[in-house]
């Protein structure tokens, strides 16, 4: 779940990281008041969750409170990336000498947070990493042990930063790492982290994402920020494929075919069972596979629901085969899922033996399920085959992706 | 597109017009395979593949009058000795 910039600023400030004078306004009149309180030139920033604000005209500079109100009126009416702004951030314009970057992001492969620091702030860290890799340093850290200042200091100093700058940057970066852990974040980023003429530092912009599953644990923070329980706050709008997944799930009350998320690979996934989905998704990737989607099936879906989901995945452009995999199931019937995915293949005119790279669901009614799979020549595996081995077999069967497929390119963290 | 691939349900002529039994079967089947129609028992063909092999219909009807056939298992009949 993504926070608006004004909320991220509040989180940063709460953690003891210095921020410039700023305020959040929903009306031009309030923007004028805040600019008057700041009593200095300000910048008006649209509060939308999508990127590209600057290019779209969502960031404007004002020298007077009246000018701030005029810009705020325009920015408040400006749609950016399909989103109307929640309001505007009225921010003081600091005289910055140098811009740095500090961020923490969840590394799904290492399953650890990674702290990133750069002495080239103000631009995308991905761009810096690509063009000037010598200006970016990173280090993983434990989620179990408390984050210590020396860890931040060691990282910052590895860029050659010394003296007063190192002393002042260290607690800021350490606090950022700690707030990442404290609030179950998947992303916590200050960019730019500005160094002023007097050698002090200010967080000039911040972006934060909290893990969706952690929302119940973070109720106090969300309440403090005024985030409603119903606000999904995804980093992007659901794709047509994902909306179709929701429809499949809603058509039938039996079982679940949830969290359908689009990726751009060639191996469709019909996966699930108590954490099994994430494990299997990771297993496919670690075996070099390119998932076309993520999903979570379980709770004994009907044949129609399993069929609907499999059809959706099979008809996704670029999908060559599907892998149907779950950990050992007790409350989902193997034979019912087998019927559903085979029916999907047959009704679409495909040979199930060809289209289903592997079926690995052991558990309730597996004998009946295996009879069905054998009848259609589908390659299946029982519980003696691990999830990882099943994923490896699926990847081996599908082979490398022939060409990239047009479609959204995003990280699993964004919605999963 | 709803031709059943996995399950067929065969109903003996002797019970096809029994409206009371039809109503009973409509009630017991958890996946709505039976319907009590104007002329007696009807089979909802689009639901056949949803059959969960629970045998409730067999228990509710006179022995041998309903046969649940597993098309994927060489026509094996539910409850019949193999
Ligand atoms: S066995 Fe159960 S699910 Fe199948 S037709 Fe009979 S009552 Fe319905």
């Amino acid at each position: 779940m993504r926070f608006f910039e004004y909320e991220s600023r509040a989180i940063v400030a709460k953690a003891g990281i210095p921020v410039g004078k700023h305020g959040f306004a929903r009306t031009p009149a309030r923007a004028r008041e805040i600019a008057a309180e700041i009593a200095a030139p300000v910048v008006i920033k649209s509060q939308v969750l999508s990127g590209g604000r600057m290019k779209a005209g969502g960031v404007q500079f004002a020298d007077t409170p009246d000018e701030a109100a005029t810009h705020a009126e325009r920015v408040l009416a400006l749609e950016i990336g399909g989103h109307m702004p929640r309001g505007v951030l009225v921010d003081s314009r600091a005289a910055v000498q140098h811009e740095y970057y500090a961020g923490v992001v969840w590394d799904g492969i290492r399953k650890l947070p990674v702290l990133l620091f750069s002495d080239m702030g103000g631009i995308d860290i991905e761009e810096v990493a690509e063009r000037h890799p010598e200006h970016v340093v990173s280090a993983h850290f434990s989620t179990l042990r408390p984050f210590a200042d020396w860890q931040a200091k060691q990282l910052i100093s590895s860029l050659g930063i010394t003296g007063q700058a190192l002393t002042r940057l260290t607690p800021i970066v350490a606090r950022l790492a700690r707030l990442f852990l404290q609030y179950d974040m998947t992303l916590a980023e200050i960019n730019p982290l500005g160094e002023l003429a007097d050698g002090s530092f200010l967080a000039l912009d911040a972006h934060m994402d909290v893990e969706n599953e952690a929302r119940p644990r973070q109720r106090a923070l969300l309440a403090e920020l005024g985030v409603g329980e119903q606000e999904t706050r995804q980093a992007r709008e659901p794709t047509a494929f994902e909306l179709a997944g929701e429809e499949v799930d809603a058509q039938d009350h039996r079982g679940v075919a949830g969290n359908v998320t689009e990726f751009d690979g060639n191996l469709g996934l019909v996966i699930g069972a108590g954490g099994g989905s994430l494990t299997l998704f990771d297993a496919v990737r670690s075996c070099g596979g390119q998932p076309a989607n993520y999903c979570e099936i379980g709770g004994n879906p009907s044949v129609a629901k399993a069929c609907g989901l499999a059809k959706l995945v099979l008809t996704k452009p670029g999908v060559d085969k599907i892998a149907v995999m779950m950990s050992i199931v007790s409350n989902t019937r193997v034979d019912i899922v087998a019927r559903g995915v085979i029916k999907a293949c047959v009704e679409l005119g495909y040979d199930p033996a060809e289209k289903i790279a592997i079926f690995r669901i052991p558990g309730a009614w597996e004998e009946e399920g295996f009879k069905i799979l054998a009848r259609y020549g589908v390659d299946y595996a029982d519980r003696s085959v691990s999830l990882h081995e099943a994923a490896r077999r699926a990847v081996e069967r599908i082979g490398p992706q022939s060409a990239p497929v047009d479609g959204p390119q995003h990280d699993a963290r964004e919605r999963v | 597109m709803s031709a059943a691939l996995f399950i067929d349900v065969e109903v003996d002529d002797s019970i096809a017009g029994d409206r009371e039994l039809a109503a009973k079967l409509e009630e017991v089947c958890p996946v709505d395979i039976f319907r009590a129609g104007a002329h007696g028992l009807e089979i909802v063909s689009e639901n056949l593949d949803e059959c969960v092999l629970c045998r409730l219909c067999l228990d509710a009807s006179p022995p041998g009058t309903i046969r649940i056939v597993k098309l994927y298992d060489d026509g094996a009949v539910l409850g019949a000795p193999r």
Side-chain angles (χ1 to χ4, degrees):
Chain A
M1 192 204 85
R2 178 156 291 190
F3 289 108
F4 286 99
E5 184 192 352
Y6 72 96
E7 295 165 335
S8 299
R9 288 283 195 97
I11 296 170
V12 165
K14 189 177 158 71
I17 295 170
V19 295
K21 283 186 187 169
H22 68 279
F24 174 67
R26 290 180 197 271
T27 63
R30 180 66 192 134
R32 181 188 287 110
E33 278 171 25
I34 297 167
E37 283 162 21
I38 292 172
V42 293
V43 53
I44 306 292
K45 296 159 108 179
S46 174
Q47 295 301 285
V48 282
L49 293 176
S50 52
R53 287 183 305 182
M54 188 65 126
K55 232 185 238 174
V59 178
Q60 300 288 336
F61 298 92
D63 291 328
T64 65
D66 282 345
E67 210 182 332
T70 306
H71 285 319
E73 187 167 12
R74 202 172 316 137
V75 171
L76 283 166
L78 186 68
E79 184 182 300
I80 299 175
H83 295 269
M84 290 308 289
R86 165 72 59 102
V88 291
L89 186 77
V90 183
D91 202 3
S92 54
R93 273 153 70 182
V96 174
Q97 301 284 100
H98 190 88
E99 292 184 334
Y100 294 85
Y101 168 95
V104 188
V105 66
W106 180 254
D107 179 345
I109 303 291
R110 290 278 301 273
K111 297 185 170 52
L112 283 174
V114 57
L115 178 61
L116 297 146
F117 188 80
S118 171
D119 56 2
M120 291 181 74
I123 45 176
D124 278 352
I125 191 66
E126 290 85 356
E127 196 181 319
V128 181
E130 201 177 305
R131 294 194 185 171
H132 310 282
E134 70 282 10
H135 285 276
V136 184
V137 286
S138 65
H140 289 86
F141 60 94
S142 168
T143 52
L144 302 175
R145 289 192 295 273
F147 188 90
D149 279 12
W150 66 263
Q151 291 171 278
K153 192 169 196 172
Q154 195 171 53
L155 184 70
I156 300 164
S157 65
S158 69
L159 266 182
I161 297 165
T162 57
Q164 182 183 256
L166 177 61
T167 306
R168 290 189 167 185
L169 281 167
T170 297
I172 292 175
V173 175
R175 282 169 192 165
L176 184 68
R178 284 187 204 114
L179 80 81
F180 179 92
L181 295 176
Q182 182 184 354
Y183 298 126
D184 298 312
M185 300 263 175
T186 53
L187 172 76
E189 180 177 78
I190 299 174
N191 188 24
L193 175 57
E195 182 178 15
L196 308 186
D198 64 0
S200 64
F201 287 85
L202 281 184
L204 300 174
D205 197 350
H207 293 279
M208 314 252 149
D209 283 3
V210 72
E211 169 60 52
N212 246 346
E213 307 299 328
R215 286 181 72 151
R217 272 163 50 118
Q218 298 301 339
R219 271 206 192 98
L221 175 72
L222 299 178
E224 199 176 313
L225 295 171
V227 178
E229 298 229 338
Q230 302 305 317
E231 288 186 60
T232 56
R233 298 284 194 92
Q234 298 297 353
R236 60 177 174 80
E237 293 299 308
T239 65
F241 175 79
E242 290 160 358
L243 291 172
E246 285 176 19
E247 274 173 35
V248 168
D249 197 29
Q251 270 166 14
D252 191 327
H253 67 279
R254 293 169 288 183
V256 179
N259 259 335
V260 174
T261 307
E262 183 168 8
F263 289 88
D264 54 3
N266 58 348
L267 179 60
L269 298 180
V270 177
I271 51 177
S277 288
L278 285 172
T279 308
L280 284 159
F281 189 92
D282 284 352
V284 167
R285 290 186 67 191
S286 75
C287 293
Q290 302 287 324
N293 68 290
Y294 172 85
C295 69
E296 293 165 2
I297 60 166
N300 209 23
S302 61
V303 172
K305 186 172 274 190
C307 176
L309 178 64
K311 273 185 174 173
L312 175 70
V313 176
L314 278 165
T315 52
K316 183 176 184 296
V319 168
D320 292 336
K321 294 183 194 300
I322 57 170
V324 186
M325 305 183 286
M326 294 171 86
S327 43
I328 299 171
V329 291
S330 58
N331 67 342
T332 291
R333 276 179 53 165
V334 177
D335 59 331
I336 299 293
V337 179
R339 285 188 214 169
V341 294
I342 287 172
K343 202 175 172 88
C345 293
V346 171
E347 289 188 354
L348 290 170
Y350 297 133
D351 176 2
E354 194 49 46
K355 276 288 167 185
I356 301 175
I358 194 161
F359 185 106
R360 190 273 186 200
I361 308 182
W365 290 71
E366 66 178 21
E367 275 178 30
E368 210 69 30
F370 295 163
K371 275 184 204 167
I372 296 169
L373 295 159
R375 162 82 189 210
Y376 283 87
V378 174
D379 191 7
Y380 67 90
D382 62 16
R383 68 192 68 196
S384 67
V385 173
S386 71
L387 295 178
H388 194 273
E389 172 59 14
R392 192 198 62 75
R393 288 187 195 176
V395 172
E396 188 179 79
R397 262 200 83 185
I398 201 162
Q401 191 166 358
S402 45
V405 180
D406 285 342
Q409 308 255 342
H410 32 245
D411 195 286
R413 286 187 318 268
E414 287 182 4
R415 281 178 57 83
V416 176
Chain B
M1 259 211 226
S2 59
L5 293 178
F6 307 103
I7 300 291
D8 194 15
V9 174
E10 295 172 358
V11 176
D12 195 89
D13 286 347
S14 64
I15 61 164
D18 186 335
R19 290 164 72 173
E20 198 178 322
L21 180 60
K24 183 75 183 159
L25 289 168
E26 182 177 302
E27 184 191 329
V28 300
C29 178
V31 291
D32 302 332
I33 285 173
F34 302 99
R35 185 162 52 209
H39 304 292
L41 187 58
E42 292 173 6
I43 300 296
V44 183
S45 57
E46 61 265 35
N47 289 346
L48 280 170
D49 279 339
E50 297 286 354
C51 172
V52 292
L53 309 175
C54 67
R55 302 168 190 237
L56 290 172
C57 56
L58 306 186
D59 293 344
S61 55
T65 53
I66 288 181
R67 287 157 48 90
I68 307 293
V69 183
K70 299 184 210 173
L71 301 174
Y72 56 88
D73 192 11
D74 296 326
V77 175
L78 182 63
R82 299 289 328 256

